[in-house]
Amino acid sequence: METPTFDWQHTPAAVWRRHRSGLRAIRRLDPITWDDLTGIDRQKQALARNTERFLAGEPSNNALLWGSRGTGKSSLIKALLNRYREQGLRMIEVDKDDLVNLPEIVDDICDLPFRFVIFCDDLSFDVGESGYKALKSVLEGSLELPPENVRVFATSNRRHLMPEFMSDNLKSEVRDGELHPAEAIEEQVSLADRFGLQLSFYPFSQDVYLQAVDALFPDVQDREALHQEAIRFATGKGVRNGRTAQQFYRQMAGDARFI
């Protein structure tokens, strides 16, 4: 791998490409900004504080952003890079299938003068997959401690990252009045437990959804007509979230009624 000679001074983000056996600079970063994200103020505040501590060399946590689809989890990570890149934050996106390479990736960046976030988007594991073992070792180390300049930020629709089955719960036992989870459940939660910061994301209420729409259409005068059309669009999609608001904007931007 050529990671040690990678131009991190001028490249804020890269993606690991298995077929190239190395990193590829991300040339077209998503321009989303911190202020573009609405309805998730609590999550933004918590992630910002954790990231600022990380950049300052203070104790900080790996972060898991989990919850409903389209609620801003991935967008928040992208906005985080745009907000803190000038303070030395760098990001490497690693696909789930490439997590087996994670220890080697970390070895090549642990002595560099930047703070790295390993970004795992839409992370989850099915029965029989073993990539999570490499992730575990980077999150908390084995004989060797994890490097101080690397944190893992992951997004997932699953709280525990692993599939959960009713049969696993049926194998749990109560002994002396205490619940003892089955081994399968212990394994399911052990990975997620390694993320010290866990932020939950839920479907938007209608008010929050309309706030997101309003932020995308700041100059529209007829708010009632805009809201009616936005609600109709969300009803057709069957979900209210930030992604739906963005899709509504892309469909209706330029419409004579909303200029």
Side-chain angles (χ1 to χ4, degrees):
M1 290 190 299
E2 299 296 328
T3 309
T5 61
F6 197 83
D7 185 15
W8 286 112
Q9 185 66 40
H10 302 98
T11 304
V15 60
W16 171 262
R17 292 302 189 204
R18 173 179 27 178
H19 64 281
R20 295 187 179 183
S21 298
L23 297 172
R24 179 184 68 79
I26 296 178
R27 304 180 185 89
R28 299 177 299 279
L29 283 176
D30 191 321
I32 189 169
T33 68
W34 201 252
D35 294 335
D36 289 337
L37 301 174
T38 60
I40 52 173
D41 292 341
R42 177 185 62 82
Q43 295 91 331
K44 287 168 61 178
Q45 182 180 10
L47 190 62
R49 181 176 183 274
N50 186 66
T51 302
E52 289 167 4
R53 290 177 62 84
F54 174 50
L55 292 172
E58 300 174 355
S60 59
N61 281 308
N62 300 295
L64 173 62
L65 287 60
W66 68 273
S68 302
R69 66 188 191 278
T71 48
K73 301 183 295 295
S74 300
S75 295
L76 184 53
I77 301 294
K78 297 172 187 175
L80 191 77
L81 176 61
N82 291 330
R83 189 182 198 201
Y84 293 107
R85 57 189 290 186
E86 297 300 326
Q87 286 99 302
L89 182 65
R90 296 294 183 264
M91 197 167 289
I92 300 174
E93 184 172 0
V94 179
D95 188 74
K96 179 187 72 172
D97 294 335
D98 294 327
L99 287 176
V100 292
N101 301 115
L102 196 52
E104 287 73 23
I105 296 171
V106 169
D107 281 347
D108 284 339
I109 62 177
C110 63
D111 295 323
L112 298 180
F114 298 98
R115 295 272 159 170
F116 290 90
V117 164
I118 303 295
F119 175 36
C120 301
D121 195 24
D122 197 20
L123 184 64
S124 65
F125 297 96
D126 293 323
V127 175
E129 290 186 311
S130 58
Y132 72 92
K133 294 180 180 178
L135 179 57
K136 275 185 176 182
S137 68
V138 171
L139 289 170
E140 286 197 351
S142 50
L143 286 177
E144 183 179 24
L145 289 173
E148 282 302 311
N149 71 328
V150 177
R151 293 293 180 270
V152 177
F153 289 4
T155 68
S156 180
N157 294 333
R158 290 175 174 173
R159 182 176 186 177
H160 293 146
L161 301 176
M162 307 282 283
E164 301 177 56
F165 302 102
M166 178 63 72
S167 58
D168 295 335
N169 288 288
L170 294 176
K171 296 175 183 177
S172 299
E173 299 178 353
V174 176
R175 295 196 296 269
D176 298 326
E178 293 184 351
L179 178 64
H180 294 265
E183 289 183 1
I185 294 179
E186 292 283 2
E187 179 70 10
Q188 289 162 4
V189 302
S190 67
L191 178 58
D193 279 350
R194 286 167 165 78
F195 290 90
L197 177 62
Q198 298 189 19
L199 301 174
S200 55
F201 291 71
Y202 298 98
F204 286 6
S205 67
Q206 182 164 292
D207 287 343
V208 172
Y209 168 67
L210 293 178
Q211 288 174 19
V213 170
D214 284 340
L216 294 168
F217 293 88
D219 300 323
V220 173
Q221 298 298 315
D222 192 348
R223 291 287 156 183
E224 182 176 354
L226 176 68
H227 289 177
Q228 288 177 351
E229 195 65 35
I231 292 170
R232 186 177 298 113
F233 184 85
T235 301
K237 293 278 296 181
V239 62
R240 291 189 301 258
N241 54 37
R243 181 179 297 156
T244 300
Q246 285 282 351
Q247 291 170 344
F248 173 70
Y249 170 76
R250 287 194 287 267
Q251 178 165 312
M252 303 305 296
D255 190 292
R257 294 171 295 171
F258 306 130
I259 295 178

